């Protein structure tokens, strides 16, 4: 049978790690619902990785925390 593979990620940013993770989960859930509504079987939907990392900049060599980035692929 013919097959196609699509890979994508949801990335969200927020002031706290908890907010970034929660918003990411909300969006990812909506994406999965949309895929299932298009008859994509749940067994064909997988997550390959999830992370929450600090969103940082280093102006003048000093660390400045902007918030957090959550990624779900």
């Amino acid at each position: 049978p013919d097959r196609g593979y699509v890979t994508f990620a949801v990335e969200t940013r927020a002031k706290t790690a908890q907010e970034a993770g929660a918003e990411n989960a909300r969006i990812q859930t909506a994406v999965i619902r949309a895929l299932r509504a298009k008859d994509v079987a749940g067994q064909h939907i997988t997550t390959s990785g999830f992370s929450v990392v600090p969103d940082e900049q280093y102006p003048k060599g000093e660390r400045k925390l902007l918030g957090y980035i959550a990624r779900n692929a």
Side-chain angles (χ1 to χ4, degrees):
D2 293 336
R3 292 183 184 187
Y5 293 91
V6 176
T7 302
F8 65 91
V10 173
E11 181 177 289
T12 53
R13 295 171 188 262
K15 295 229 182 258
T16 69
Q18 183 177 2
E19 290 170 348
E23 179 67 2
N24 193 283
R26 185 189 69 75
I27 294 169
Q28 187 76 353
T29 298
V31 168
I32 290 170
R33 282 189 188 134
L35 290 169
R36 288 188 175 173
K38 295 293 183 184
D39 295 326
V40 176
Q43 68 196 39
H44 298 298
I45 301 170
T46 62
T47 297
S48 62
F50 177 79
S51 65
V52 179
V53 297
D55 184 7
E56 304 168 314
Q57 287 184 353
Y58 289 85
K60 300 179 184 175
E62 295 182 24
R63 177 182 180 255
K64 180 178 179 185
L65 179 64
L66 303 175
Y68 292 85
I69 304 168
R71 291 184 186 97
N72 194 344

